[in-house]
Amino acid sequence: MSDGRRSESVTVVGAGLAGTLLSIILARRGHRVRLYERQDDMRRVAVDAGRSINLALAARGIRALELAGVMERVTPALVPMPGRMLHDPTGALTFVPYGQRPEEVIYSVSRPGLNCILLDAAEKAGVELLFRHPAIGADFTRRQINFQNPDGQPHDVAMERVFATDGAGSILRRTLVDRLGIACTEDLLKHGYKELTLPPFPDGRPRIDKHALHIWPRGGFMLIALPNIDGSFTVTLFLPLNGPDSFETLTTPASIETFFGSHFPDVKQLMPDLAAEFFQHPTGIMGTVRCQQWSFEDRLLLMGDAAHAITPFHGQGMNCCFEDCRELDALLTGSDDWTGSFGEFETLRRPNTNAIADMAIENYLEMRDTVRDPKFHLHKALSLELERRHPTRFVPRYSMVMFHDDIPYAVAYERGRIQNEILSALTQQADTLAAVDYDAAARLIEAKLPPLPD
């Protein structure tokens, strides 16, 4: 290695987005990386439909992709979304921009498409890819990770610099919890999701506005649609698992047609394969993982969803996992000594991953319900106006999370709480922006919000 750092053998478990990006970053640092994956190579076999949920790439994820030197390969696969398009039950549309600057845009990207790009980049970086090698456990006494070969035979690997990125259902996290008695919660929502498709017109034109994240908020549930580069949209229904309007009641083509016709009539007519897809695709579950301990000595470290899975409602699951990779790289930069690095990473990241987990749950309520309240739109407009007037102190929470990768999640969460109090106070007697007392706003902001770091 040109800067004198020691090259080591590194094992990464799980070739999803986080594990593949981490492998690229570690290989670029000069380490010898083996990446183990339980599934087949998705570049060679068809990916099961219905579980991807198109992803929203934002500043934190972009910065990590740039660090790994792969952003140029990813850019052609992105569709910019400068705001939300809200669909009310009558079909009326309301566009709500995410920010007020041209660069304040998030990007829709296909999960498997992005994963394939990263796998190609990992191979090019010298990562050794081993597919159909599931991790089946770990021996903390002998310091070994237990794998299974494609032929079903067991295979052990030394537990030295092992990164577990094997997802929300992580085998290695559960082994860590079971063997060492570590506290861990896996809180599942009482809502599930179903992925569907809104196809383009025969000539490839999109049937709805391509440059927006579409939301059909209906109070206790919602439908969203994210654009794809081929003109189609990946549509996701978020719905209670049980109850009157729930997945348990949608058991026949007639019930599906009635449900969508009642709640989403404008989009129903654009989805000719609605009922067939509904039954073909699985109902996914969602939840939040909080684990008391992410590491074992400097040998094993949980990262990404394996350590801190969150719900998808802030569009930050992938971005948070990618930020893990960037933060680990920053922690290791300029050093060839891993001593204490796993524990330090855990200490630094946990407050931020806890904060984004909480914000994701809060954003679900906003997306499916609060966006229908006129006061919500006044708060959004006022937030942008206060940011324009006080750019060093007042930045909307959504903008801090999505567009300001230099602001930690925990800081965004706390400042967002204070800002919401300010917005509520300013709009108690004001129903329009013109009626807001901006002198009072300036006093509140200066008293409650210190300037953000440059």
Side-chain angles (χ1 to χ4, degrees):
M1 301 173 71
S2 59
D3 62 0
R5 285 184 270 124
R6 184 174 68 244
S7 174
E8 294 199 27
S9 294
V10 173
T11 300
V12 180
V13 182
L17 296 173
T20 311
L21 182 66
L22 177 64
S23 296
I24 296 167
I25 291 172
L26 293 173
R28 284 167 61 92
R29 292 181 66 86
H31 299 298
R32 302 179 300 278
V33 182
R34 280 188 169 181
L35 177 57
Y36 290 83
E37 167 57 37
R38 66 186 180 90
Q39 301 283 8
D40 284 303
D41 186 344
M42 65 166 53
R43 299 168 300 172
R44 311 282 183 258
V45 299
V47 177
D48 290 340
R51 288 199 182 275
S52 68
I53 301 186
N54 264 44
L55 302 167
L57 179 65
R60 296 170 201 270
I62 290 171
R63 187 170 172 189
L65 292 169
E66 290 173 342
L67 171 68
V70 297
M71 190 59 202
E72 286 187 2
R73 306 183 205 186
V74 173
T75 299
L78 305 179
V79 180
M81 300 183 296
R84 299 170 172 171
M85 186 70 79
L86 305 179
H87 298 244
D88 79 6
T90 69
L93 303 178
T94 302
F95 182 76
V96 183
Y98 287 130
Q100 55 188 342
R101 300 179 180 86
E103 67 272 17
E104 292 184 334
V105 174
I106 63 176
Y107 299 90
S108 176
V109 63
S110 156
R111 179 192 295 271
L114 178 56
N115 213 153
C116 288
I117 291 170
L118 294 179
L119 286 168
D120 286 342
E123 276 193 328
K124 187 172 182 180
V127 175
E128 183 180 355
L129 304 176
L130 296 100
F131 296 99
R132 298 176 61 207
H133 280 74
I136 55 176
D139 186 327
F140 294 98
T141 301
R142 299 174 60 199
R143 307 308 199 256
Q144 290 181 330
I145 303 294
N146 313 127
F147 290 96
Q148 194 175 71
N149 292 337
D151 61 5
Q153 296 301 309
H155 169 64
D156 295 333
V157 172
M159 190 189 294
E160 295 178 359
R161 313 292 179 245
V162 176
F163 297 90
T165 56
D166 51 338
S170 171
I171 293 296
L172 293 185
R173 182 188 72 245
R174 288 172 177 170
T175 304
L176 191 69
V177 168
D178 292 343
R179 299 288 174 83
L180 302 184
I182 294 168
C184 181
T185 60
E186 300 179 15
D187 295 322
L188 297 181
L189 286 185
K190 295 181 180 180
H191 289 222
Y193 70 90
K194 180 83 70 172
E195 188 178 287
L196 306 162
T197 305
L198 195 164
F201 286 113
D203 63 3
R205 289 181 297 117
R207 295 176 186 264
I208 56 177
D209 188 341
K210 184 175 182 177
H211 295 296
L213 190 159
H214 293 259
I215 307 177
W216 290 258
R218 298 297 183 263
F221 53 92
M222 70 176 181
L223 194 73
I224 70 170
L226 276 73
N228 297 306
I229 56 175
D230 65 358
S232 69
F233 283 75
T234 299
V235 178
T236 308
L237 172 65
F238 296 99
L239 188 68
L241 294 169
N242 307 104
D245 281 321
S246 69
F247 282 113
E248 76 171 351
T249 65
L250 301 181
T251 57
T252 66
S255 64
I256 294 165
E257 294 289 333
T258 299
F259 176 80
F260 274 80
S262 174
H263 298 292
F264 313 111
D266 57 333
V267 73
K268 172 181 175 289
Q269 60 187 344
L270 305 177
M271 301 171 65
D273 298 323
L274 172 60
E277 271 200 320
F278 195 95
F279 291 118
Q280 289 169 2
H281 293 178
T283 300
I285 59 173
M286 301 170 289
T288 302
V289 172
R290 300 182 197 262
C291 192
Q292 177 190 29
Q293 183 176 323
W294 298 353
S295 60
F296 175 71
E297 300 174 348
D298 281 317
R299 296 176 178 271
L300 172 66
L301 177 65
L302 306 177
M303 292 181 64
D305 286 350
H308 49 70
I310 63 176
T311 57
F313 304 114
H314 212 308
Q316 282 293 296
M318 170 186 65
N319 292 285
C320 180
C321 293
F322 282 1
E323 190 174 62
D324 275 3
C325 301
R326 180 172 62 82
E327 291 292 328
L328 180 69
D329 179 79
L331 192 63
L332 298 176
T333 294
S335 171
D336 62 357
D337 183 7
W338 297 73
T339 304
S341 60
F342 286 11
E344 187 177 358
F345 171 85
E346 180 178 345
T347 299
L348 291 172
R349 285 298 285 163
R350 186 186 302 281
N352 293 308
T353 59
N354 283 339
I356 190 56
D358 292 337
M359 287 189 281
I361 293 292
E362 291 176 11
N363 215 46
Y364 186 29
L365 179 61
E366 175 180 306
M367 292 174 72
R368 79 186 197 208
D369 194 6
T370 313
V371 292
R372 303 185 300 170
D373 184 350
K375 189 71 85 173
F376 166 84
H377 295 282
L378 178 59
H379 280 193
K380 284 293 184 184
L382 181 55
S383 291
L384 296 178
E385 178 60 21
L386 294 178
E387 181 184 23
R388 188 184 68 78
R389 292 170 180 251
H390 308 278
T392 63
R393 291 177 184 263
F394 195 106
V395 178
R397 189 179 88 174
Y398 188 89
S399 295
M400 285 190 284
V401 170
M402 304 302 282
F403 308 130
H404 293 264
D405 59 271
D406 56 330
I407 300 178
Y409 287 126
V411 173
Y413 194 25
E414 177 58 19
R415 290 182 74 97
R417 182 189 63 78
I418 296 169
Q419 289 174 177
N420 192 57
E421 293 175 356
I422 293 172
L423 293 170
S424 295
L426 293 174
T427 57
Q428 277 187 343
Q429 305 299 323
D431 293 326
T432 66
L433 287 182
V436 172
D437 184 341
Y438 288 103
D439 290 334
R443 291 191 297 271
L444 285 170
I445 290 169
E446 290 181 11
K448 293 177 176 290
L449 292 172
L452 287 160
D454 292 334

